[in-house]
Amino acid sequence: MKTTIVNFLRAACPFIVALALWRLSAPFWNPGGALALIPIFFFSFIRPTAGFAAFSVLMCFLIDYKSDTLLFWTALYCVTYAAIGFQSVIDMTRWDQNGLRGFLIFWGVGLGILFFLQFDFGNLARMLWLFAWGAVLYTPITTCIKRISHD
């Protein structure tokens, strides 16, 4: 019985972490639950998990809803998923550092587009802060997730 519960929690770990990070949104530290994009990116592109793609689209939609970005992160995720799925040159599952470079490209492009949609210096500071904060938190979050799920 105990191993069944432990195995269930290990399998549910990606879903639970994404929901928790989305739910723990705060205007300065995690606006709109955007840090939920870390497990979404990791379990969609670096360590693909069965059934996680549909959940990721739903989570990106919830991030868009909470941050009023009108399907921005959902569209960016779908475009990235399609671009990575239709090519065979880039294999992100073999990248080192849990795919940090790939996440920084995804995160930076998204934040850069959001910055240019509302061009001012306050928004520039906010986007630079979010980029740095996401870059700092990516490795600890993915390392903890890998230890919990024994990936």
Side-chain angles (χ1 to χ4, degrees):
M1 177 70 174
K2 182 179 176 183
T3 58
T4 306
I5 294 171
V6 170
N7 288 337
F8 171 75
L9 289 175
R10 284 183 181 155
C13 175
F15 303 95
I16 293 169
V17 171
L19 278 172
L21 284 173
W22 172 74
R23 186 70 181 114
L24 294 172
S25 66
F28 183 72
W29 299 105
N30 187 11
L35 290 179
L37 290 169
I38 293 172
I40 289 170
F41 182 85
F42 184 74
F43 285 109
S44 294
F45 305 122
I46 307 303
R47 300 284 184 264
T49 303
F52 199 74
F55 178 78
S56 295
V57 171
L58 174 66
M59 286 303 300
C60 287
F61 176 76
L62 291 174
I63 292 168
D64 286 329
Y65 176 75
K66 207 171 219 184
S67 58
D68 292 329
T69 51
L70 193 63
L71 298 177
F72 174 76
W73 290 110
T74 306
L76 185 65
Y77 172 81
C78 290
V79 166
T80 305
Y81 192 83
I84 290 174
F86 288 130
Q87 56 81 34
S88 61
V89 177
I90 300 172
D91 184 15
M92 294 179 84
T93 60
R94 299 185 191 277
W95 283 14
D96 58 346
Q97 298 175 336
N98 296 334
L100 178 63
R101 288 179 292 152
F103 176 73
L104 291 180
I105 293 169
F106 174 77
W107 186 244
V109 166
L111 292 176
I113 292 170
L114 286 176
F115 166 68
F116 285 113
L117 290 176
Q118 185 181 357
F119 189 80
D120 66 4
F121 289 109
N123 198 25
L124 174 65
R126 195 172 313 115
M127 294 306 159
L128 289 175
W129 159 250
L130 280 175
F131 182 79
W133 188 236
V136 166
L137 289 180
Y138 183 81
T139 301
I141 289 173
T142 56
T143 303
C144 289
I145 291 171
K146 282 175 62 175
R147 285 192 178 171
I148 291 171
S149 62
H150 286 289
D151 190 28

